[in-house]
Amino acid sequence: MIKYFLVIILGISITWSQDCEAGNPNWPSNNDIAPDYQFSFYITAQIFIDGMHQNGEIAGFVDDQIRGTDIDGSSYFPPADTWLYQFPIYSNQIQGETISFKFYDETNDVVIDLNETYEFISDSALGTLLNPEWLHLGELVGGDCASGIYDCLG
């Protein structure tokens, strides 16, 4: 009985300490988000997890409040031979809010917190088609995940 109890506690602590959550977040579309806000900020980005380009969904947040999504996934841009995410972030402040990002990895069915944060500045853009912003999880060498695979399993 004690052996099983320890296994359950260990399993919970490992899952809880990861930078991701299991399951599809079912984020709303920008059509549902935009009406609540006055200002927008536009981002063009690529997403890398452990140095590898990823396809899935991305959302921008201020604290725990969702402020913009690209739930259609990345789009191929032939001139740069790359896949890009393009989406707006919304706010009721002209500037100053901190934007963080979460990525839904459809293959592994997990939501992952990305490393970067940016300051919201109304009517501005971050990244371009030929020079996209890079959003990522993990370091190019090493990292804080024992397995080196960010899939909520350790």
Side-chain angles (χ1 to χ4, degrees), residues 5-15:
F5 182 69
L6 291 174
V7 171
I8 291 170
I9 290 174
L10 181 59
I12 291 170
S13 66
I14 289 172
T15 303

Side-chain angles (χ1 to χ4, degrees), residues 11-51:
I12 291 170
S13 66
I14 289 172
T15 303
W16 201 5
S17 68
Q18 298 298 315
D19 292 329
C20 57
E21 306 161 17
N24 186 331
N26 295 312
W27 288 322
S29 73
N30 288 317
N31 292 335
D32 296 325
I33 299 168
D36 294 332
Y37 299 98
Q38 297 176 11
F39 306 107
S40 62
F41 166 92
Y42 204 77
I43 185 165
T44 301
Q46 291 179 298
I47 297 175
F48 294 89
I49 297 178
D50 295 326

Side-chain angles (χ1 to χ4, degrees), residues 22 34-35 48 73 83 108 127 135 139:
F48 294 89
W83 292 85
N108 294 304
L135 303 176
E139 300 172 17

Side-chain angles (χ1 to χ4, degrees), residues 76-94:
Y76 183 68
F77 183 60
D81 190 30
T82 192
W83 292 85
L84 301 172
Y85 292 85
Q86 295 182 292
F87 62 104
I89 302 291
Y90 300 100
S91 178
N92 284 324
Q93 295 182 25
I94 293 175

